[in-house]
Short mmCIF file of all heavy atoms in Angstrom, two decimals:
data_model
loop_
_atom_site.label_atom_id
_atom_site.label_comp_id
_atom_site.label_asym_id
_atom_site.label_seq_id
_atom_site.Cartn_x
_atom_site.Cartn_y
_atom_site.Cartn_z
N ALA A 111 102.32 67.39 92.49
CA ALA A 111 101.81 66.50 93.54
C ALA A 111 102.49 66.71 94.88
O ALA A 111 102.00 66.28 95.91
CB ALA A 111 102.00 65.04 93.10
N ARG A 112 103.65 67.42 94.88
CA ARG A 112 104.34 67.68 96.14
C ARG A 112 103.67 68.80 96.93
O ARG A 112 103.93 68.96 98.12
CB ARG A 112 105.80 68.05 95.87
CG ARG A 112 106.63 66.94 95.22
CD ARG A 112 107.95 67.49 94.74
NE ARG A 112 107.74 68.52 93.71
CZ ARG A 112 108.73 69.22 93.15
NH1 ARG A 112 109.98 68.99 93.50
NH2 ARG A 112 108.46 70.13 92.23
N GLN A 113 102.81 69.56 96.27
CA GLN A 113 102.16 70.70 96.92
C GLN A 113 100.73 70.34 97.30
O GLN A 113 100.00 69.74 96.52
CB GLN A 113 102.15 71.91 95.98
CG GLN A 113 101.67 73.19 96.63
CD GLN A 113 101.75 74.36 95.67
OE1 GLN A 113 101.21 74.30 94.56
NE2 GLN A 113 102.40 75.43 96.08
N THR A 114 100.34 70.69 98.51
CA THR A 114 98.99 70.40 99.00
C THR A 114 98.14 71.67 98.96
O THR A 114 98.56 72.72 99.44
CB THR A 114 99.04 69.88 100.45
OG1 THR A 114 99.80 68.67 100.48
CG2 THR A 114 97.64 69.60 100.96
N LEU A 115 96.97 71.55 98.37
CA LEU A 115 96.02 72.66 98.32
C LEU A 115 94.99 72.46 99.42
O LEU A 115 94.49 71.36 99.63
CB LEU A 115 95.33 72.72 96.96
CG LEU A 115 96.27 72.90 95.76
CD1 LEU A 115 95.46 73.01 94.48
CD2 LEU A 115 97.17 74.12 95.94
N LEU A 116 94.68 73.53 100.13
CA LEU A 116 93.78 73.47 101.28
C LEU A 116 92.37 73.89 100.88
O LEU A 116 92.19 74.87 100.14
CB LEU A 116 94.29 74.40 102.38
CG LEU A 116 95.68 74.07 102.93
CD1 LEU A 116 96.18 75.21 103.79
CD2 LEU A 116 95.64 72.78 103.72
N ARG A 117 91.40 73.14 101.38
CA ARG A 117 90.00 73.46 101.12
C ARG A 117 89.20 73.22 102.39
O ARG A 117 89.54 72.35 103.19
CB ARG A 117 89.42 72.60 99.99
CG ARG A 117 89.98 72.93 98.62
CD ARG A 117 89.27 72.15 97.52
NE ARG A 117 89.60 72.69 96.22
CZ ARG A 117 90.63 72.33 95.48
NH1 ARG A 117 91.45 71.39 95.94
NH2 ARG A 117 90.86 72.86 94.31
N LEU A 118 88.13 73.99 102.57
CA LEU A 118 87.21 73.72 103.67
C LEU A 118 86.44 72.44 103.37
O LEU A 118 85.99 72.23 102.24
CB LEU A 118 86.22 74.87 103.86
CG LEU A 118 86.76 76.19 104.41
CD1 LEU A 118 85.60 77.15 104.65
CD2 LEU A 118 87.56 76.00 105.67
N SER A 119 86.28 71.60 104.36
CA SER A 119 85.41 70.44 104.23
C SER A 119 83.97 70.90 104.33
O SER A 119 83.69 72.08 104.63
CB SER A 119 85.72 69.43 105.34
OG SER A 119 85.40 70.00 106.59
N ALA A 120 83.02 70.00 104.10
CA ALA A 120 81.61 70.36 104.27
C ALA A 120 81.36 70.82 105.71
O ALA A 120 80.62 71.77 105.96
CB ALA A 120 80.73 69.15 103.93
N ALA A 121 82.01 70.13 106.67
CA ALA A 121 81.87 70.54 108.08
C ALA A 121 82.47 71.92 108.30
O ALA A 121 81.96 72.72 109.09
CB ALA A 121 82.55 69.51 108.98
N GLY A 122 83.58 72.21 107.59
CA GLY A 122 84.20 73.52 107.72
C GLY A 122 83.31 74.63 107.21
O GLY A 122 83.19 75.70 107.83
N ARG A 123 82.67 74.39 106.07
CA ARG A 123 81.75 75.41 105.54
C ARG A 123 80.55 75.60 106.46
O ARG A 123 80.06 76.71 106.66
CB ARG A 123 81.28 75.02 104.13
CG ARG A 123 82.39 75.15 103.09
CD ARG A 123 81.86 75.07 101.68
NE ARG A 123 82.92 75.34 100.72
CZ ARG A 123 83.30 76.55 100.34
NH1 ARG A 123 82.70 77.61 100.84
NH2 ARG A 123 84.29 76.70 99.47
N LYS A 124 80.08 74.49 107.03
CA LYS A 124 78.94 74.59 107.94
C LYS A 124 79.32 75.34 109.20
O LYS A 124 78.53 76.11 109.75
CB LYS A 124 78.46 73.18 108.29
CG LYS A 124 77.14 73.16 109.04
CD LYS A 124 76.60 71.74 109.16
CE LYS A 124 75.22 71.75 109.82
NZ LYS A 124 74.67 70.36 109.91
N ALA A 125 80.56 75.14 109.68
CA ALA A 125 81.03 75.84 110.88
C ALA A 125 81.28 77.32 110.59
O ALA A 125 81.05 78.18 111.45
CB ALA A 125 82.30 75.18 111.40
N PHE A 126 81.76 77.63 109.37
CA PHE A 126 82.07 79.01 109.02
C PHE A 126 80.80 79.84 108.81
O PHE A 126 80.79 81.04 109.10
CB PHE A 126 82.91 79.06 107.75
CG PHE A 126 83.14 80.45 107.22
CD1 PHE A 126 83.97 81.33 107.88
CD2 PHE A 126 82.49 80.87 106.06
CE1 PHE A 126 84.18 82.61 107.40
CE2 PHE A 126 82.68 82.15 105.58
CZ PHE A 126 83.54 83.02 106.25
N ALA A 127 79.73 79.23 108.32
CA ALA A 127 78.52 79.98 107.94
C ALA A 127 77.97 80.83 109.09
O ALA A 127 77.71 82.02 108.91
CB ALA A 127 77.45 79.03 107.41
N PRO A 128 77.76 80.27 110.32
CA PRO A 128 77.22 81.13 111.39
C PRO A 128 78.21 82.21 111.81
O PRO A 128 77.80 83.31 112.20
CB PRO A 128 76.95 80.14 112.53
CG PRO A 128 77.75 78.93 112.22
CD PRO A 128 77.84 78.86 110.74
N LEU A 129 79.51 81.93 111.73
CA LEU A 129 80.51 82.94 112.07
C LEU A 129 80.42 84.10 111.09
O LEU A 129 80.45 85.27 111.48
CB LEU A 129 81.89 82.29 112.04
CG LEU A 129 83.08 83.16 112.43
CD1 LEU A 129 82.98 83.59 113.88
CD2 LEU A 129 84.39 82.41 112.19
N ASP A 130 80.31 83.78 109.81
CA ASP A 130 80.19 84.81 108.78
C ASP A 130 78.89 85.59 108.97
O ASP A 130 78.86 86.81 108.82
CB ASP A 130 80.21 84.14 107.40
CG ASP A 130 80.43 85.13 106.28
OD1 ASP A 130 81.27 86.03 106.44
OD2 ASP A 130 79.76 85.01 105.25
N ARG A 131 77.82 84.86 109.32
CA ARG A 131 76.53 85.52 109.53
C ARG A 131 76.58 86.48 110.72
O ARG A 131 76.05 87.59 110.66
CB ARG A 131 75.46 84.45 109.72
CG ARG A 131 74.03 85.00 109.76
CD ARG A 131 73.02 83.89 109.55
NE ARG A 131 73.16 82.82 110.53
CZ ARG A 131 73.59 81.59 110.24
NH1 ARG A 131 73.94 81.28 109.00
NH2 ARG A 131 73.67 80.65 111.17
N ARG A 132 77.22 86.06 111.82
CA ARG A 132 77.31 86.93 113.00
C ARG A 132 78.14 88.17 112.70
O ARG A 132 77.82 89.27 113.17
CB ARG A 132 77.94 86.16 114.16
CG ARG A 132 77.01 85.15 114.80
CD ARG A 132 77.73 84.36 115.87
NE ARG A 132 77.09 83.06 116.07
CZ ARG A 132 77.71 81.98 116.51
NH1 ARG A 132 79.01 82.03 116.78
NH2 ARG A 132 77.06 80.86 116.68
N SER A 133 79.21 88.00 111.93
CA SER A 133 80.02 89.14 111.55
C SER A 133 79.19 90.13 110.72
O SER A 133 79.28 91.35 110.91
CB SER A 133 81.23 88.67 110.75
OG SER A 133 82.01 89.77 110.33
N GLU A 134 78.39 89.59 109.80
CA GLU A 134 77.53 90.45 108.99
C GLU A 134 76.51 91.17 109.88
O GLU A 134 76.27 92.37 109.72
CB GLU A 134 76.81 89.60 107.94
CG GLU A 134 75.86 90.38 107.07
CD GLU A 134 76.29 90.39 105.61
OE1 GLU A 134 77.35 89.87 105.28
OE2 GLU A 134 75.53 90.92 104.81
N GLN A 135 75.92 90.45 110.82
CA GLN A 135 74.93 91.06 111.71
C GLN A 135 75.56 92.14 112.57
O GLN A 135 74.95 93.18 112.83
CB GLN A 135 74.30 89.97 112.58
CG GLN A 135 73.40 89.01 111.82
CD GLN A 135 73.02 87.78 112.61
OE1 GLN A 135 73.60 87.48 113.67
NE2 GLN A 135 72.04 87.03 112.13
N GLN A 136 76.79 91.90 113.04
CA GLN A 136 77.48 92.89 113.85
C GLN A 136 77.70 94.17 113.04
O GLN A 136 77.51 95.28 113.55
CB GLN A 136 78.82 92.33 114.32
CG GLN A 136 79.62 93.29 115.20
CD GLN A 136 81.02 92.81 115.45
OE1 GLN A 136 81.75 92.48 114.51
NE2 GLN A 136 81.42 92.72 116.70
N THR A 137 78.10 94.01 111.77
CA THR A 137 78.35 95.17 110.93
C THR A 137 77.05 95.91 110.62
O THR A 137 77.01 97.15 110.62
CB THR A 137 79.04 94.74 109.62
OG1 THR A 137 80.21 93.99 109.93
CG2 THR A 137 79.43 95.94 108.79
N VAL A 138 75.98 95.15 110.36
CA VAL A 138 74.68 95.78 110.11
C VAL A 138 74.25 96.59 111.33
O VAL A 138 73.77 97.72 111.22
CB VAL A 138 73.62 94.71 109.77
CG1 VAL A 138 72.22 95.31 109.79
CG2 VAL A 138 73.89 94.10 108.41
N ALA A 139 74.42 96.02 112.54
CA ALA A 139 74.03 96.72 113.77
C ALA A 139 74.85 98.00 113.95
O ALA A 139 74.34 99.03 114.38
CB ALA A 139 74.22 95.80 114.97
N LEU A 140 76.14 97.92 113.60
CA LEU A 140 77.00 99.10 113.72
C LEU A 140 76.51 100.21 112.78
O LEU A 140 76.39 101.37 113.17
CB LEU A 140 78.44 98.71 113.41
CG LEU A 140 79.54 99.75 113.58
CD1 LEU A 140 80.86 99.05 113.91
CD2 LEU A 140 79.73 100.60 112.33
N LEU A 141 76.22 99.84 111.52
CA LEU A 141 75.78 100.83 110.54
C LEU A 141 74.37 101.35 110.83
O LEU A 141 74.05 102.50 110.51
CB LEU A 141 75.84 100.22 109.13
CG LEU A 141 77.23 99.94 108.59
CD1 LEU A 141 77.15 99.13 107.30
CD2 LEU A 141 78.01 101.23 108.35
N ALA A 142 73.54 100.50 111.42
CA ALA A 142 72.14 100.89 111.68
C ALA A 142 72.04 102.05 112.66
O ALA A 142 71.03 102.76 112.68
CB ALA A 142 71.36 99.69 112.20
N ARG A 143 73.08 102.26 113.46
CA ARG A 143 73.06 103.35 114.43
C ARG A 143 73.28 104.70 113.77
O ARG A 143 73.07 105.75 114.39
CB ARG A 143 74.15 103.13 115.48
CG ARG A 143 73.94 101.89 116.33
CD ARG A 143 75.22 101.44 117.02
NE ARG A 143 76.02 102.54 117.52
CZ ARG A 143 77.27 102.42 117.94
NH1 ARG A 143 77.87 101.24 117.87
NH2 ARG A 143 77.93 103.46 118.41
N LEU A 144 73.72 104.68 112.52
CA LEU A 144 74.07 105.92 111.83
C LEU A 144 73.00 106.33 110.83
O LEU A 144 72.25 105.49 110.32
CB LEU A 144 75.40 105.73 111.08
CG LEU A 144 76.59 105.24 111.92
CD1 LEU A 144 77.79 105.00 111.00
CD2 LEU A 144 76.94 106.23 113.01
N ALA A 145 72.94 107.60 110.56
CA ALA A 145 72.07 108.11 109.50
C ALA A 145 72.64 107.68 108.15
O ALA A 145 73.84 107.42 108.04
CB ALA A 145 71.98 109.62 109.58
N PRO A 146 71.81 107.60 107.09
CA PRO A 146 72.30 107.16 105.78
C PRO A 146 73.54 107.91 105.30
O PRO A 146 74.47 107.31 104.76
CB PRO A 146 71.10 107.39 104.86
CG PRO A 146 69.92 107.22 105.77
CD PRO A 146 70.35 107.79 107.09
N VAL A 147 73.56 109.24 105.47
CA VAL A 147 74.72 110.02 105.02
C VAL A 147 75.96 109.64 105.82
O VAL A 147 77.06 109.53 105.28
CB VAL A 147 74.43 111.53 105.16
CG1 VAL A 147 75.69 112.34 104.87
CG2 VAL A 147 73.31 111.95 104.20
N GLN A 148 75.78 109.40 107.13
CA GLN A 148 76.92 109.01 107.97
C GLN A 148 77.45 107.64 107.58
O GLN A 148 78.67 107.41 107.60
CB GLN A 148 76.49 109.00 109.44
CG GLN A 148 76.16 110.38 110.00
CD GLN A 148 75.60 110.30 111.41
OE1 GLN A 148 74.75 109.45 111.69
NE2 GLN A 148 76.09 111.15 112.29
N ARG A 149 76.54 106.73 107.23
CA ARG A 149 76.98 105.40 106.80
C ARG A 149 77.89 105.49 105.58
O ARG A 149 78.93 104.84 105.52
CB ARG A 149 75.76 104.53 106.46
CG ARG A 149 74.87 104.19 107.63
CD ARG A 149 73.63 103.47 107.15
NE ARG A 149 72.59 103.51 108.16
CZ ARG A 149 71.31 103.24 107.93
NH1 ARG A 149 70.93 102.88 106.72
NH2 ARG A 149 70.43 103.32 108.90
N GLN A 150 77.48 106.29 104.61
CA GLN A 150 78.29 106.41 103.40
C GLN A 150 79.63 107.06 103.70
O GLN A 150 80.66 106.68 103.13
CB GLN A 150 77.54 107.19 102.32
CG GLN A 150 78.19 107.10 100.94
CD GLN A 150 78.35 105.65 100.47
OE1 GLN A 150 77.40 104.87 100.49
NE2 GLN A 150 79.56 105.28 100.07
N ARG A 151 79.63 108.05 104.61
CA ARG A 151 80.89 108.67 105.00
C ARG A 151 81.83 107.65 105.62
O ARG A 151 83.04 107.65 105.37
CB ARG A 151 80.63 109.80 106.00
CG ARG A 151 80.07 111.09 105.39
CD ARG A 151 79.84 112.13 106.47
NE ARG A 151 81.08 112.44 107.19
CZ ARG A 151 81.10 113.05 108.37
NH1 ARG A 151 79.98 113.38 108.99
NH2 ARG A 151 82.27 113.32 108.95
N LEU A 152 81.27 106.76 106.46
CA LEU A 152 82.08 105.74 107.11
C LEU A 152 82.67 104.77 106.07
O LEU A 152 83.86 104.43 106.11
CB LEU A 152 81.24 104.97 108.14
CG LEU A 152 81.95 103.83 108.87
CD1 LEU A 152 83.14 104.36 109.66
CD2 LEU A 152 80.97 103.11 109.81
N VAL A 153 81.83 104.32 105.14
CA VAL A 153 82.30 103.40 104.10
C VAL A 153 83.37 104.07 103.24
O VAL A 153 84.40 103.46 102.91
CB VAL A 153 81.12 102.92 103.23
CG1 VAL A 153 81.62 102.16 102.02
CG2 VAL A 153 80.17 102.05 104.06
N ASP A 154 83.14 105.33 102.87
CA ASP A 154 84.15 106.06 102.08
C ASP A 154 85.46 106.18 102.84
O ASP A 154 86.55 106.08 102.26
CB ASP A 154 83.63 107.45 101.71
CG ASP A 154 82.48 107.41 100.71
OD1 ASP A 154 82.31 106.36 100.06
OD2 ASP A 154 81.74 108.41 100.60
N ALA A 155 85.36 106.37 104.17
CA ALA A 155 86.57 106.49 104.98
C ALA A 155 87.36 105.19 104.99
O ALA A 155 88.60 105.20 104.98
CB ALA A 155 86.21 106.90 106.41
N THR A 156 86.66 104.05 104.99
CA THR A 156 87.38 102.76 104.97
C THR A 156 88.14 102.60 103.66
O THR A 156 89.25 102.07 103.64
CB THR A 156 86.42 101.58 105.17
OG1 THR A 156 85.52 101.48 104.05
CG2 THR A 156 85.63 101.70 106.46
N HIS A 157 87.54 103.04 102.55
CA HIS A 157 88.25 102.97 101.27
C HIS A 157 89.50 103.85 101.30
O HIS A 157 90.55 103.48 100.78
CB HIS A 157 87.33 103.43 100.13
CG HIS A 157 86.25 102.46 99.78
ND1 HIS A 157 86.48 101.13 99.55
CD2 HIS A 157 84.90 102.64 99.63
CE1 HIS A 157 85.34 100.52 99.27
NE2 HIS A 157 84.38 101.41 99.31
N THR A 158 89.36 105.02 101.93
CA THR A 158 90.50 105.94 102.01
C THR A 158 91.63 105.32 102.82
O THR A 158 92.79 105.36 102.41
CB THR A 158 90.05 107.26 102.66
OG1 THR A 158 89.02 107.86 101.86
CG2 THR A 158 91.22 108.24 102.75
N VAL A 159 91.30 104.75 103.98
CA VAL A 159 92.31 104.13 104.83
C VAL A 159 93.00 102.99 104.08
O VAL A 159 94.24 102.88 104.07
CB VAL A 159 91.69 103.60 106.14
CG1 VAL A 159 92.69 102.75 106.92
CG2 VAL A 159 91.21 104.76 107.01
N ALA A 160 92.20 102.13 103.45
CA ALA A 160 92.77 100.98 102.73
C ALA A 160 93.67 101.44 101.58
O ALA A 160 94.74 100.87 101.34
CB ALA A 160 91.66 100.09 102.22
N ALA A 161 93.23 102.46 100.85
CA ALA A 161 94.02 102.94 99.72
C ALA A 161 95.34 103.55 100.18
O ALA A 161 96.39 103.32 99.59
CB ALA A 161 93.21 103.96 98.92
N LEU A 162 95.30 104.33 101.27
CA LEU A 162 96.51 104.98 101.76
C LEU A 162 97.52 103.99 102.33
O LEU A 162 98.73 104.16 102.20
CB LEU A 162 96.16 106.03 102.83
CG LEU A 162 95.43 107.27 102.32
CD1 LEU A 162 95.00 108.16 103.47
CD2 LEU A 162 96.32 108.06 101.36
N LEU A 163 97.02 102.93 102.98
CA LEU A 163 97.91 101.94 103.57
C LEU A 163 98.23 100.79 102.62
O LEU A 163 98.95 99.87 102.98
CB LEU A 163 97.30 101.39 104.87
CG LEU A 163 97.11 102.43 105.99
CD1 LEU A 163 96.56 101.77 107.24
CD2 LEU A 163 98.43 103.13 106.31
N GLY A 164 97.63 100.84 101.43
CA GLY A 164 97.98 99.86 100.40
C GLY A 164 97.45 98.47 100.68
O GLY A 164 98.16 97.49 100.49
#
Side-chain angles (χ1 to χ4, degrees):
R112 296 168 298 177
Q113 188 177 53
T114 299
L115 301 183
L116 300 168
R117 291 186 167 88
L118 290 186
S119 65
R123 289 193 174 276
K124 190 170 184 179
F126 173 71
L129 183 64
D130 194 42
R131 187 164 57 249
R132 285 176 205 153
S133 178
E134 179 116 356
Q135 291 168 346
Q136 181 190 52
T137 306
V138 169
L140 185 152
L141 291 171
R143 296 161 40 193
L144 305 175
V147 173
Q148 293 174 316
R149 294 173 198 164
Q150 193 56 51
R151 284 180 59 198
L152 178 61
V153 171
D154 291 342
T156 66
H157 288 310
T158 300
V159 171
L162 290 174
L163 297 182

